[in-house]
Amino acid sequence: MNVMDIFETMEYGPAPEAATPALAWLKERQPFGLFINNQWVKPASGKYLDSISPASAKPLAQVAAANSTDVDAAVAAARTAFTSWGQTPGHVRARYLYAIARHIQKHSRLLAVLESLDNGKSIRETRDLDIPLVARHFYYHAGWAQLMASELPGYEPVGVVGQIIPWNFPLLMLAWKIAPALAMGNTVVLKPARYTSLTALKFAEIVQEVGLPPGVVNIVTGEASQVGEALVKHPDVNKIAFTGSTDVGRSIRRVTAGSGKKLSLELGGKSPFIVFDDADLDSVVEGVVDAIWFNQGQVCCAGSRLLVQEDIADRLITKLRTRMEKLRIGDPLDKAIDMGAIVSPGQLNEIQRLVAQGVEEGATMWQPSWACPTDGYFFPPTLFTNVAPAATIAQVEIFGPVLVSMTFRTPTEAVALANNTRYRLAASVWSENINLALDIAPKLKAGTVWVNCTNMFDASSGFGGYRESGYGREGGKEGLYEYVRPGWEKITASTIATPTTPTTPATLATSNGSSPSGDANTQRAGELVADEDMRENGHDALGFHSDLPPIDRTPKLFIKGKQVRPDSGYSRDVYDSHGRVIGQVGEGNRKDIRNAVEAAHAASGWAAGTTHNRAQILYYIAENLAVREKEFARRIVEQTGRPYTAAAEEVQTSIARLFSYAAWTDKYEGAVHRPPLRGVVLAMKEQMGVIGVACPDEYPLLGFISLVAPAIAMGNTVVVIPSQSDPLCATDCYQVLETSDLPAGVVNIVTGERDALSQVVAEHDDVDAMWYFGTADGSRQIELASAGNMKRTWVSYGHPRNWLDSVQGEGEEFLRESTQVKNIWVPYGE
Ligand code: NAD
Ligand code: MN
């Protein structure tokens, strides 16, 4: 080629980054051992696996194939290390994290080349994006280690954390996991993905270099079936943090159900990329390149569904095809290529299979005219048009460079189409009309929304989704809570005050696993006896004397603001503390729960109202409860046999609690982040949606109020199953709710058998979260059932909570469970 040719074609020359230093580094060290207690140890199996370079299909190095014996050793090392690391002052932990960040930067070139070689992604991405973000994550969390004591008072580390990561961003996912875990004082056993362990092993060297105490970080390589499963099941692991596919996430939810292990899941996505007709189309084209061809589309939040306003669709598709024709695919170490290789032959097959299915189902496929290199695992950028919204390729995560496009006419249609997915991870909106974009953003069901940008990340802004995209956030302050628990939870059950519950009839479940304390009988002397005398002498619950028999009042269920008969037509008896029947409540069933969920959905306008209005209604509920204070106290005495003074305290605390959440309603607010870009990230605290609430047996009124008030304060609507043994306080609230201007359907109450009803709620596809305060086994059942649509759960595992105590019974924990953070990225500038 002569100078004139080059001038004409403007063809790039090759600009390869040298692989030699990385290859030399590998050669010196392999076969790699496992990194346990800051030492390299041989795997128990004596076996090793090849790590392949996807661009050449040739082996790069051998890594250890660990098994459960090795996992045991790593967990034991982490446990021992935790005893001191968990007590290490935040400032000391901050120094270590800071040192790690510095060392990442010092080794950035080697890390970038290693990552490109091992994963097949372009050096441009590893050098300019992955590795800088890794360093940023450690710096950011060094700061949280420093501030933990003052900014997260009352919280403690969880303990030993098992972390499992995928291959698409090997070192970045490691950083997202390890940085917050160490910052909060936990120790770690990390399993890299089978195909991409090499940068994690380089990271292990950095751990040694900075002198992190042995056992704080352990890295165990190998197969999912050997290492991943052993880690998930390990009884001495306190939390599992997982990033990967939805199927595996679901199975981890099931395996850990009832174990009390904390769990965070970052799963798949099928994110919409919405283009309105006033968008800047040239920016859109570059946005699409970043959305779906970045990292060969192997990105959980890839903008894989292009939704275009109808009138500009043809123009945009034409522009896109022109751009695709110019994309360069090839050696990942070439600095001038756009796309590298697919990580493995298995992934390549899967992409080919889904693309073939797309064609078979009738969509139009378009690929550039040039051919891919043939010596590695390459797949060209691919665009589908004429895609039906229900087509496989429109619904299933392809995890490759494949874009499907659909059209819409109106903003409402755009939102409906965008939300037509099981996933809730990310979305981007393109329009020059900022009012339109900011109106659309909150309506998109996703954890992250990018306005006129895409695939932006920063440690300050939490990342994560909901439903089949998992739960929990990584980054931001919200991400820290995945790695801590309230300090009071460690207090043993016996030191927590539980109300004294005299023996309940055998047919009824007792309170959630807590044993009534021995002096129950002495405590329910006095006023209780007086109260019973009153009733037996013809006084009603309020103490008025009457010669007439009382009018029977059988509470029904409370659905859509109305008292409705249970579908079953059955009632169940409610007993007093002596086993005498004091009333009946409706025996709710599956159908009642379905109706309640439907009503709760229909009331979603509650979230759109002003926080001022919601606060007013909570105050009003408190006011109406206060009017009937004595009546409620007597009802508690009647059901539980507790002393009147204790019952009165429960009512008083319930009223105070309503005031607390009325106060919080317009004060538990989001944040504005300033990541390194010209713009802002709006971290909005959004309601979960419909929350199922199974109330504890103890504190029949306070347990109910303590859970319902924060949920509705934050804009959720609820389906509540009251205390099974003592449901009358909740049913007495019907009138309180009816007279407090609460819109119909915001609170729905179904009485009956708590565990059976909870199960129905937990399985329900239209419920977004399930709270359960009951037995240990019931908790396990809820976590199992939740795996269907991957709803978030909050369960007690049968541990008691002192509902009277303001630390355990109210506050931030409840508000956090009622909300999730949505980060909306809004860049500035023309
Ligand atoms: P994968 O679920 O197969 O594997 C992820 C990790 O889990 C690997 O380390 C694997 O070895 C391990 N693993 C597999 N089965 C396991 C089991 N039964 N028990 C314990 N561990 C097990 O996913 P992948 O193919 O490696 O990654 C691609 C998927 O990850 C995509 O679906 C993508 O959407 C998702 N992902 C999500 C995010 C996010 O932040 N939400 C980020 C990256 C990737
Ligand atoms: Mn590899």
Side-chain angles (χ1 to χ4, degrees), residues 19-89:
T20 337
L23 294 175
W25 182 86
L26 288 172
K27 197 165 172 213
E28 251 170 52
R29 283 156 183 82
Q30 65 141 337
F32 285 92
L34 305 168
F35 187 71
I36 298 174
N37 258 327
N38 282 14
Q39 289 179 346
W40 294 102
V41 298
K42 292 208 166 76
S45 67
K47 290 189 187 135
Y48 294 84
L49 304 164
D50 277 340
S51 205
I52 307 284
S53 171
S56 65
K58 294 207 175 81
L60 281 168
Q62 290 206 306
V63 299
N67 63 23
S68 63
T69 308
D70 305 303
V71 172
D72 287 345
V75 171
R79 174 59 57 195
T80 306
F82 178 67
T83 49
S84 51
W85 182 252
Q87 307 290 320
T88 300

Side-chain angles (χ1 to χ4, degrees), residues 676-697:
L677 100 149
R678 279 199 67 217
V680 290
V681 178
L682 311 174
M684 317 236 305
K685 286 181 172 141
E686 284 191 337
Q687 72 287 348
M688 295 296 302
V690 175
I691 302 183
V693 179
C695 299
D697 270 333

Side-chain angles (χ1 to χ4, degrees), residues 532-680:
E532 281 175 356
D533 284 348
M534 272 183 337
R535 202 155 51 82
E536 274 153 25
N537 294 334
H539 291 71
D540 72 7
L542 284 171
F544 297 119
H545 182 74
S546 162
D547 288 329
L548 297 172
I551 296 175
D552 181 71
R553 231 179 78 206
T554 297
K556 300 174 184 147
L557 311 178
F558 189 66
I559 296 175
K560 212 170 186 172
K562 292 204 174 63
Q563 300 191 32
V564 294
R565 280 199 191 81
D567 170 71
S568 68
Y570 286 105
S571 297
R572 62 191 292 132
D573 290 336
V574 179
Y575 301 88
D576 73 3
S577 56
H578 298 284
R580 288 174 303 209
V581 174
I582 51 172
Q584 279 91 28
V585 292
E587 182 77 70
N589 68 11
R590 181 173 290 269
K591 181 125 186 287
D592 300 310
I593 292 287
R594 295 204 162 273
N595 292 339
V597 171
E598 204 181 312
H601 258 284
S604 63
W606 176 242
T610 66
T611 52
H612 173 76
N613 183 47
R614 292 209 294 269
Q616 291 294 306
I617 289 173
L618 281 161
Y619 283 124
Y620 203 6
I621 295 172
E623 190 186 319
N624 285 326
L625 188 57
V627 172
R628 293 169 56 187
E629 204 178 312
K630 290 205 177 69
E631 183 194 332
F632 270 93
R634 287 195 183 280
R635 190 62 117 175
I636 293 169
V637 171
E638 185 185 22
Q639 292 176 102
T640 66
R642 281 156 51 206
Y644 183 83
T645 45
E649 187 192 4
E650 180 174 343
V651 181
Q652 285 293 343
T653 310
S654 302
I655 294 167
R657 198 141 289 168
L658 284 161
F659 262 63
S660 289
Y661 290 111
W664 275 118
T665 301
D666 54 8
K667 293 170 193 67
Y668 187 64
E669 293 194 309
V672 178
H673 299 305
R674 297 301 315 267
L677 100 149
R678 279 199 67 217
V680 290

Side-chain angles (χ1 to χ4, degrees), residues 498-521:
T498 38
T500 52
T501 326
T503 340
T504 24
T507 51
L508 287 181
T510 51
S511 65
N512 61 3
S514 62
S515 54
S517 58
D519 56 1
N521 289 322

Side-chain angles (χ1 to χ4, degrees), residues 16 24 38 113 132 191 205 348 352 383 400 417 533 597 638 666 756:
N38 282 14
V113 175
K191 186 195 107 55
E205 280 192 0
L348 182 58
Q352 287 162 339
L383 172 64
L417 202 52
D533 284 348
V597 171
E638 185 185 22
D666 54 8

Side-chain angles (χ1 to χ4, degrees), residues 164-169 173 176-177 191-194 222-225 227-232 242-249 251-252 265-269 298-301 347 397 399 423 425 463-465 469 474:
I164 300 173
I165 55 174
W167 44 259
N168 58 346
F169 293 89
M173 292 300 105
W176 283 18
K177 296 275 180 291
K191 186 195 107 55
R194 158 75 181 82
E223 302 274 13
S225 58
V227 183
E229 289 181 21
L231 201 49
V232 167
F242 172 82
T243 297
S245 59
T246 298
D247 285 345
V248 174
S251 87
I252 291 178
L265 301 171
E266 303 284 357
L267 310 175
Q298 304 166 118
V299 181
C300 52
C301 52
Q347 285 298 125
E397 182 182 46
F399 225 62
Y423 299 110
L425 192 56
F463 182 84
S469 296
E474 298 192 297

Side-chain angles (χ1 to χ4, degrees), residues 51-54 60 117-119 195-196:
S51 205
I52 307 284
S53 171
L60 281 168
L117 282 171
D118 198 15
N119 167 284
Y195 295 111
T196 54

